[in-house]
Amino acid sequence: MADKPKIAFFDFAGCEGDQLQVANLEEKLLDLLEHVELVSFREVMTGHADDYAIAFVEGSITRPEDEARVRDIRSRAKILVALGACAHIGGVNCMKNFMDEAVYREHVYGHKARSYATAPARPVSAVVPVDAAVPGCPISGDEFLRVTKQLLLGMAPVLPDYPVCVECKMAGNVCRYERGGLCLGIITRGGCGACCVTEGAQCWGCRGLAPGANLDAARYVMQDRAGFPRIQVQDLLRMYLGHTTAAL
């Protein structure tokens, strides 16, 4: 009987909520473990091994020493998967890139600010090649299982290529813009079921840009047509998409 593929989970700058989503799969995770060997997963086990085929990396790269660590992980893994928004697109950590360093140092580290190294936040793909991604904040456990199963079968995972607006229509939601609200569903990759809008909020862009997203047209819709101030649009784009839309 062939050995099971070995998988490992790693965390950088993030809340580890995406790994918790995996742990929360419970019985479904046990089913997956019939086909893989888990060698490192801090949320659910104490052991660790550096022999693995698939590495799931959560969190953005925000310190100089992170680069060497993620390069080492990449060198050992046949497949590296960006797990969640911070690893996939830089996520909320990229908001620091638009602040004065002294400001965010004080907010994060207080009077010990000078004792810690820091650098602009980046997605994992800005440092090493990434083979696949499970987007979102947090991720969907079911999407994680689908992507993992496809990788184990030697398939290239395919993410939805349409915007969240498609799923809003399917859910019967009244468009946020029709209700006088701001929303990034017009440019954000679908696959979440428009959960935030369905629950009465807005799309924050946590799944990254949909393929072919037209940022100029989106900016026209948000600023010129809907009348939202440029600074408000800019702040919303920078919440999750700061690395992607830094020039806006």
Side-chain angles (χ1 to χ4, degrees):
M1 182 177 179
D3 292 337
K4 297 179 182 179
K6 297 176 181 178
I7 68 172
F9 290 80
F10 301 92
D11 52 272
F12 287 83
C15 67
E16 300 188 23
D18 300 308
Q19 292 177 77
L20 285 175
Q21 286 291 88
V22 176
N24 287 338
L25 287 168
E26 298 178 343
E27 288 86 358
K28 292 181 180 179
L29 180 58
L30 294 177
D31 291 339
L32 176 63
L33 292 178
E34 293 182 6
H35 305 281
V36 300
E37 180 182 350
L38 188 60
V39 299
S40 184
F41 192 174
R42 192 161 64 90
E43 296 289 344
V44 300
M45 62 184 288
T46 56
H48 170 77
D50 287 321
D51 176 22
Y52 44 84
I54 304 177
F56 293 93
V57 177
E58 178 179 7
S60 59
I61 308 303
T62 63
R63 301 177 303 169
E65 56 263 43
D66 290 345
E67 293 192 21
R69 180 172 172 240
V70 78
R71 286 194 177 102
D72 180 65
I73 293 169
R74 172 72 271 188
S75 71
R76 298 172 185 275
K78 293 181 180 178
I79 297 171
L80 189 148
V81 183
L83 190 67
C86 290
H88 177 215
I89 56 175
V92 295
N93 293 317
C94 286
M95 288 192 288
K96 70 183 275 190
N97 300 348
F98 305 97
M99 303 177 187
D100 184 89
E101 182 178 327
V103 173
Y104 69 72
R105 274 184 173 277
E106 181 180 354
H107 278 289
V108 175
Y109 302 116
H111 69 282
K112 295 185 177 180
R114 292 298 168 188
S115 301
Y116 297 92
T118 188
R122 290 160 291 165
V124 174
S125 61
V127 181
V128 297
V130 169
D131 301 299
V134 184
C137 182
I139 64 165
S140 159
D142 287 338
E143 187 166 47
F144 164 80
L145 287 174
R146 178 178 60 79
V147 168
T148 302
K149 289 176 182 178
Q150 289 173 332
L151 290 171
L152 292 173
L153 291 170
M155 303 167 59
V158 178
L159 299 174
D161 61 359
Y162 49 80
V164 172
C165 288
V166 172
E167 294 173 332
C168 257
K169 292 289 186 183
M170 294 172 65
N173 295 327
V174 176
C175 180
R176 283 278 300 176
Y177 289 98
E178 293 294 330
R179 293 185 285 145
L182 190 57
C183 184
L184 293 184
I186 55 178
I187 56 173
T188 300
R189 184 189 296 273
C192 59
C195 55
C196 292
V197 182
T198 300
E199 293 297 324
Q202 63 190 25
C203 176
W204 309 92
C206 75
R207 288 180 61 83
L209 294 176
N214 189 327
L215 292 176
D216 289 333
R219 185 165 50 186
Y220 167 78
V221 168
M222 292 186 280
Q223 294 177 203
D224 300 333
R225 187 173 176 183
F228 289 98
R230 181 182 181 279
I231 188 65
Q232 187 175 354
V233 173
Q234 177 180 275
D235 286 348
L236 180 58
L237 286 169
R238 288 177 175 178
M239 184 168 185
Y240 279 101
L241 299 169
H243 185 268
T244 308
T245 63
L248 293 181

